Amino acid sequence: MKPSSRVSDVSTSLIRRMFEIVERARKEGKEIINLSIGEPDFKTPPELVERAYEYMKAGYTHYTSNLGLEELRVAIAERYNVEPSEVMVTTGGSEGLLNASLAFIDEGCNVIIPSPNFLSYFTYAKICRARVIQIRTHEDCFEIDPDRLNEVMRKNSFVFLNYPNNPTGVVVDGRVLKEVVEIARDKDSIVLSDEIYDRIHYDRKPRTLAGEENVIVVNGFSKSLAMTGWRIGFVIANENLLNEMLKVHQVNGVCAPAFAQKAVAEFLPESERFLKVMVREFRRRRDFVYSRLKRIFDVVKPEGAFYMFPDVGMDCEHFCERILIEKGVCLTPGRAFGDWNERYVRLSFANSMENLKKALDRIEEYVEESGEE
Ligand code: PLP
């Protein structure tokens, strides 16, 4: 059977190749420090786990409304200052991204993606058979330049934004985002603002685009409550946009797990304490990793999320392969995040301080040794 043309050129080869190298290195008995991980290394708060268990026993084990449990939608709406009717709960942020893509990206539609960016956006665009237009951000410390957007913006486009950003950790000023939204609005275009890292920030508070007429916000609790396996996400958009996404959601995610929705709704008022501890620790690691990396590479200091994206001055795949085989440190090649990233790698500091110290020593060693060759 031939795969559909939607998926036939979706590539998994880069990730598979890294995975194979990790497997080989592990078989050889090497200790691997994995800094390619895209989730917090914190445990889900035990109070949340307890609640989910209780609600499971109490019968929250069936479908909920497609839109999600009312109490969770109300809690989210309050946080983002929108109406509950503008909130739909999804099975993780990823389902929200696919729903939005299928509902609004037509075949041949222009999908605009600032590079570097979360690799899944490229996949959504491929699945929708869209035309991808990337915007270079490297000269602007990875922040989107509205003028560059203006140059490529055509009617009925779809723009993916993600701040704090994966893979750079960059946060963009609210004024700039507002400009982006206006440029899109003038061209009857939609902005998808993926705000999944919005609660993990250090110096600059990210601004939400919830409530803007032509914006779909995708978010969730995967990262902020360290619960990637629970699959609770949400989208915020005006009711017209939401209704179109509901048509996809009702045959896609259908509803997020009932006990998880109920437990999160109840836990939300207490979640700040957990977040504070996690973000404090991420900040400590960010400061450490940044201070070490900037001695050897050009790197932008991340203001949110838990990634850094240094320019390693050589081909990213060669660098990742050598550092993995020779030093047992696993990083993600920049090429996975769009055009112009072939000299960059992504490092996730969602790992223990002890591992980060060891990894940085080894990276430094490798750079010294390869410079001597
Ligand atoms: N958006 C971005 C930018 C991400 O980095 C991720 C996960 O890595 C997601 C969305 C997906 O989140 P979820 O696990 O809630 O589907």
Side-chain angles (χ1 to χ4, degrees):
M1 278 280 274
K2 221 163 65 113
S4 80
S5 60
R6 288 180 194 289
V7 295
S8 56
D9 65 341
V10 170
S11 166
T12 51
S13 59
L14 199 61
I15 294 160
R16 199 180 314 131
R17 190 167 142 76
M18 291 306 290
F19 185 76
E20 280 163 10
I21 297 173
V22 170
E23 284 299 289
R24 204 183 332 135
R26 286 211 165 115
K27 271 195 198 130
E28 286 165 11
K30 286 208 178 92
E31 176 219 10
I32 306 289
I33 302 176
N34 192 352
L35 303 187
S36 72
I37 291 177
E39 62 178 342
D41 56 317
F42 286 74
K43 284 208 168 90
T44 308
E47 305 88 322
L48 182 50
V49 176
E50 278 308 315
R51 278 192 175 91
Y53 180 47
E54 290 305 321
Y55 283 120
M56 218 186 287
K57 284 191 290 184
Y60 280 82
T61 50
H62 297 274
Y63 294 132
T64 68
S65 134
N66 288 133
L67 288 165
L69 276 187
E70 186 62 16
E71 48 269 55
L72 182 55
R73 294 172 70 206
V74 167
I76 294 166
E78 276 172 10
R79 176 177 278 181
Y80 291 92
N81 202 16
V82 295
E83 295 299 322
S85 59
E86 298 174 311
V87 177
M88 177 166 78
V89 180
T90 56
T91 48
S94 302
E95 200 232 337
L97 291 170
L98 185 64
N99 294 344
S101 303
L102 290 176
F104 294 104
I105 304 175
D106 252 328
E107 188 166 344
C109 168
N110 282 349
V111 166
I112 301 175
I113 307 177
S115 171
N117 229 324
F118 182 43
L119 71 168
S120 298
Y121 305 151
F122 298 93
T123 306
Y124 297 125
K126 273 194 181 146
I127 287 175
C128 297
R129 299 216 191 95
R131 182 168 160 251
V132 172
I133 299 171
Q134 302 192 43
I135 305 181
R136 196 179 156 93
T137 61
H138 302 66
E139 286 74 30
D140 304 302
C141 295
F142 302 124
E143 296 190 23
I144 186 169
D145 175 352
D147 291 337
R148 281 183 195 254
L149 176 69
N150 216 356
E151 280 165 22
V152 296
M153 185 56 112
R154 300 285 174 272
K155 240 178 153 23
N156 300 321
S157 298
F158 191 94
V159 185
F160 278 103
L161 296 184
N162 169 229
Y163 302 110
N165 178 261
N166 173 6
T168 64
V170 159
V171 175
V172 167
D173 214 64
R175 269 178 303 125
V176 174
L177 292 181
K178 193 96 184 144
E179 240 183 283
V180 168
V181 170
E182 274 159 24
I183 291 168
R185 185 181 302 144
D186 288 346
K187 289 282 195 306
D188 295 326
S189 298
I190 287 181
V191 171
L192 186 143
S193 180
D194 179 348
E195 302 178 2
I196 199 96
Y197 296 102
D198 70 338
R199 312 305 310 281
I200 303 171
H201 57 85
Y202 313 110
D203 313 311
R204 188 153 43 156
K205 196 166 180 239
R207 140 110 199 245
T208 179
L209 290 177
E212 297 284 347
E213 173 201 335
N214 58 328
V215 173
I216 296 166
V217 167
V218 169
N219 204 329
F221 302 100
S222 297
K223 317 284 177 173
S224 61
L225 294 180
M227 50 186 294
T228 45
W230 294 50
R231 313 313 298 144
I232 306 283
F234 56 90
V235 294
I236 302 175
N238 72 48
E239 284 181 52
N240 292 335
L241 299 182
L242 204 75
N243 278 335
E244 300 308 319
M245 289 188 281
L246 178 59
K247 292 179 192 170
V248 185
H249 172 67
Q250 69 186 356
V251 294
N252 188 17
V254 181
C255 72
F259 53 87
Q261 290 191 57
K262 182 77 179 158
V264 168
E266 206 176 278
F267 181 71
L268 271 191
E270 295 163 42
S271 62
E272 295 305 317
R273 208 161 12 114
F274 170 79
L275 248 170
K276 215 169 150 185
V277 172
M278 183 169 73
V279 173
R280 193 194 303 136
E281 177 58 18
F282 278 149
R283 179 195 292 272
R284 197 168 78 90
R285 296 179 196 171
R286 183 221 34 183
D287 290 345
F288 167 73
V289 175
Y290 176 71
S291 71
R292 293 288 303 269
L293 274 189
K294 76 171 194 285
R295 285 200 227 152
I296 42 177
F297 300 131
D298 267 350
V299 58
V300 172
K301 192 175 189 181
E303 294 171 318
F306 36 75
Y307 308 109
M308 274 186 220
F309 201 59
D311 175 351
V312 295
M314 65 174 92
D315 181 79
C316 59
E317 278 165 68
H318 174 77
F319 183 87
C320 288
E321 196 172 314
R322 293 325 307 162
I323 204 109
L324 183 53
I325 292 169
E326 290 178 29
K327 302 290 174 189
V329 177
C330 183
L331 301 165
T332 314
R335 205 170 265 125
F337 303 96
D339 284 350
W340 310 294
N341 300 314
E342 41 287 290
R343 284 200 331 195
Y344 293 82
V345 301
R346 187 187 76 174
L347 178 154
S348 160
F349 49 91
N351 209 316
S352 70
M353 201 60 165
E354 189 193 343
N355 278 345
L356 290 171
K357 280 183 178 148
K358 265 198 242 172
L360 265 303
D361 286 345
R362 294 184 196 178
I363 293 172
E364 211 167 270
E365 244 171 55
Y366 173 76
V367 171
E368 268 167 30
E369 288 163 13
S370 59
E372 284 161 12
E373 273 167 18

